[in-house]
Amino acid sequence: MKYSAPRGTKDILPTESRMWQIVEDKFAEVCRRFGYQEIRTPTFEQTDLFARGVGDSTDVVQKEMYNFEDKSGRPLTLRPEGTAGVARAYIEHGLASMPSPLKLYYNISAFRYEKMQKGRYREFHQLGCECFGSEDATADAELISLLRIFFIELGMSHFNLEINSIGCPECRPQYRAALQDFLRPLLPELCEDCQSRFETNPLRILDCKNDHCHNLTQDAPSPLEYLCPDCQEHWDQLRQLLDNYEIPYKINPRLVRGLDYYTKTVFEFVSDAVGSQGTICGGGRYDGLVELLNGPHTPGVGFALGFERLLLELENQGVEFISYAAPDIFLACLPEYRVFANSFCYRLRSAGIYAEADTSGRSFKSQMKQANRLGAKYLMVIGEDEVDSGSGMIKRMSDGEEFKMSFEELVQFLLTGN
Ligand code: HAM
């Protein structure tokens, strides 16, 4: 039987993993600059955490979760996203007693049983941030500025930020009612999904991907017209901050997001490159989530970035990373000097240099080929003279120029580049 990776999953091969590491390292580094500390939570949680946190009526909970029972019959779920688990950990470990706001970041795999498409997987990866303890729009703007710096430092030249406010439990019921009034006469013409969302989650009708539904709802009322004074002030402050930071954005009154916990700010970074799966990153404020999960009243705001979609966008914008690191030096030798070459290789590696030597009994000629294939920057041939004198010639592979030096000098040369 020929095995293959399960549908919707993807192997990250050595040719790609370097790129993943660069993106992960940059994200961690930018997060640290903003005071975000890493949190790691389990890959699976109690099913009820997501049903409650993400919301019973969402597509994620209704259709997409990988639910299972363990051998003791406990209902568990592979996490479809990171926020609920992080909020659970925040409550469980009393993190509210840590200096506030508490800023956490994560790098996780997540699981959703979705139809496969470009940029859409069943196991995918998210880089995310969650900030607990500030209800001020400055925390929202800080996260957006973090993302912008991250994108720029990765080499991206353009990105589209869309923002909206969907109000709070105070003002959303009025908006929901107005939206339902608008939608009611259109109901027979809307798709089945939208018809079933009408009672449970009418806001989601606004981001239905069906063109017909989209066109029919063009003139739907905007949540921005129904904000209570508190939400209005928050919304005004967010826009002022973004203007002040000179971060361009588009107001998209139809942006509602697919998860139930959002209040006030919602935002997305969208790309034209990722096809219909254009959202690279989504986030927003969730001031009621911690309380909903039986924790203390704690405002929160965060985002998650789809790793695979970000890589598609980087490719689209022509951002290139070196796919693997080339050896600083390759030590080629005749068979009788293999032990010496490998022990010298070990010395160089101990000194912090990426050195390679033959470990599989290759002929001298095929070692030279190997040095070329790996893209070694320098080559040194180890033979009797080199072993006796403790020195040798190294050849710069890019132009063939040769330099004579002792082994000690070689270490310095490779470490400092001269
Ligand atoms: P989300 O919009 O469901 O939000 O997912 C965030 C990002 O994950 C999406 O914008 C997309 O890039 C990526 N993504 C989602 N599903 C898939 C998939 N099937 N295949 C590939 N990529 C995917 C959340 O998950 C929230 N927890 C974000 C958040 C954090 N809000 C506040 N804090």
Side-chain angles (χ1 to χ4, degrees):
M1 166 155 179
K2 207 168 149 198
Y3 294 105
S4 51
R7 199 168 156 70
T9 69
K10 193 174 168 317
D11 295 310
I12 297 153
L13 301 174
T15 41
E16 300 158 281
S17 59
R18 180 85 194 112
M19 205 139 128
W20 281 69
Q21 287 165 352
I22 291 172
V23 173
E24 285 168 343
D25 290 352
K26 174 54 76 183
F27 187 68
E29 190 256 310
V30 173
C31 281
R32 275 193 290 274
R33 245 187 275 164
F34 278 76
Y36 278 78
Q37 306 173 71
E38 188 178 8
I39 183 160
R40 301 187 190 199
T41 61
T43 309
F44 56 86
E45 300 269 359
Q46 284 165 258
T47 301
D48 186 56
L49 175 77
F50 299 115
R52 227 177 136 70
V54 172
D56 262 333
S57 67
T58 58
D59 282 356
V60 169
V61 172
Q62 295 253 311
K63 304 182 190 164
E64 297 167 4
M65 294 210 301
Y66 280 88
N67 299 325
F68 62 99
E69 277 187 5
D70 68 8
K71 290 195 193 300
S72 317
R74 293 185 191 90
L76 298 167
T77 296
L78 294 183
R79 64 178 162 216
E81 58 102 54
T83 314
V86 174
R88 192 263 314 134
Y90 178 85
I91 299 163
E92 183 175 343
H93 302 288
L95 300 186
S97 63
M98 288 180 75
S100 174
L102 183 66
K103 306 195 231 181
L104 304 169
Y105 80 88
Y106 50 85
N107 175 1
I108 59 169
S109 50
F111 307 84
R112 295 184 194 175
Y113 190 80
E114 290 196 82
K115 276 207 197 90
M116 284 286 300
Q117 273 182 23
K118 186 179 179 191
R120 198 202 262 167
Y121 299 94
R122 292 181 176 169
E123 181 188 27
F124 58 100
H125 298 79
Q126 289 187 335
L127 297 169
C129 282
E130 311 293 352
C131 170
F132 294 96
S134 168
E135 51 195 4
D136 199 283
T138 317
D140 313 29
E142 183 180 77
L143 280 170
I144 291 174
S145 69
L146 181 156
L147 277 163
R148 191 170 154 87
I149 291 179
F150 173 60
F151 291 150
I152 290 176
E153 293 190 8
L154 278 178
M156 276 166 66
S157 51
H158 52 273
F159 19 74
N160 306 315
L161 167 64
E162 297 189 354
I163 60 171
N164 192 20
S165 174
I166 54 169
C168 67
E170 189 77 17
C171 51
R172 189 149 348 127
Q174 283 85 285
Y175 172 62
R176 200 175 183 277
L179 183 62
Q180 281 179 320
D181 288 346
F182 169 85
L183 292 169
R184 201 165 284 112
L186 306 173
L187 258 185
E189 290 192 62
L190 295 174
C191 73
E192 247 176 61
D193 272 351
C194 284
Q195 290 185 2
S196 67
R197 283 173 188 144
F198 179 78
E199 286 300 340
T200 54
N201 207 342
L203 270 70
R204 286 307 315 268
I205 296 177
L206 293 180
D207 74 349
C208 179
K209 298 288 178 276
N210 181 315
D211 284 344
H212 188 60
C213 296
H214 191 87
N215 292 337
L216 278 173
T217 56
Q218 280 296 349
D219 299 324
S222 155
L224 297 171
E225 290 157 21
Y226 290 82
L227 298 180
C228 62
D230 181 37
C231 289
Q232 184 67 47
E233 196 187 328
H234 196 272
W235 172 239
D236 292 342
Q237 198 197 353
L238 174 69
R239 284 174 303 135
Q240 268 166 24
L241 285 160
L242 295 179
D243 290 341
N244 197 271
Y245 302 173
E246 295 180 7
I247 297 182
Y249 57 86
K250 188 179 134 200
I251 296 170
N252 177 0
R254 299 178 70 101
L255 179 63
V256 289
R257 310 270 306 126
L259 315 172
D260 271 359
Y261 45 62
Y262 292 111
T263 50
K264 296 182 178 167
T265 312
V266 286
F267 64 90
E268 286 186 353
F269 279 87
V270 289
S271 135
D272 320 322
V274 195
S276 62
Q277 303 306 312
T279 308
I280 308 174
C281 172
R285 182 159 277 285
Y286 45 83
D287 290 346
L289 178 63
V290 175
E291 231 172 329
L292 183 72
L293 300 177
N294 306 324
H297 170 71
T298 312
V301 57
F303 69 77
L305 222 158
F307 210 126
E308 290 81 359
R309 294 190 193 172
L310 173 68
L311 292 181
L312 283 171
E313 179 59 13
L314 287 170
E315 192 187 314
N316 173 56
Q317 295 200 18
V319 177
E320 277 178 21
F321 301 119
I322 303 162
S323 60
Y324 62 92
D328 297 314
I329 189 161
F330 192 98
L331 305 172
C333 64
L334 291 172
E336 54 270 41
Y337 298 106
R338 269 185 75 209
V339 172
F340 184 91
N342 274 285
S343 78
F344 187 37
C345 198
Y346 166 60
R347 264 180 63 198
L348 293 174
R349 288 167 176 168
S350 309
I353 292 159
Y354 173 20
E356 282 287 5
D358 174 52
T359 53
S360 47
R362 282 194 168 91
S363 69
F364 184 74
K365 200 171 144 199
S366 93
Q367 288 177 47
M368 301 298 266
K369 265 198 202 149
Q370 177 74 347
N372 272 317
R373 282 187 52 191
L374 293 176
K377 292 173 202 141
Y378 291 93
L379 177 84
M380 183 176 220
V381 176
I382 304 282
E384 191 180 351
D385 286 352
E386 287 76 16
V387 173
D388 287 350
S389 68
S391 66
M393 299 295 285
I394 66 161
K395 181 168 158 186
R396 188 160 61 205
M397 301 294 270
S398 57
D399 57 6
E401 196 169 337
E402 294 194 311
F403 310 86
K404 186 168 172 56
M405 59 186 77
S406 71
F407 290 165
E408 275 66 38
E409 286 166 337
L410 176 66
V411 173
Q412 275 319 302
F413 179 84
L414 292 175
L415 282 176
T416 59
N418 52 53

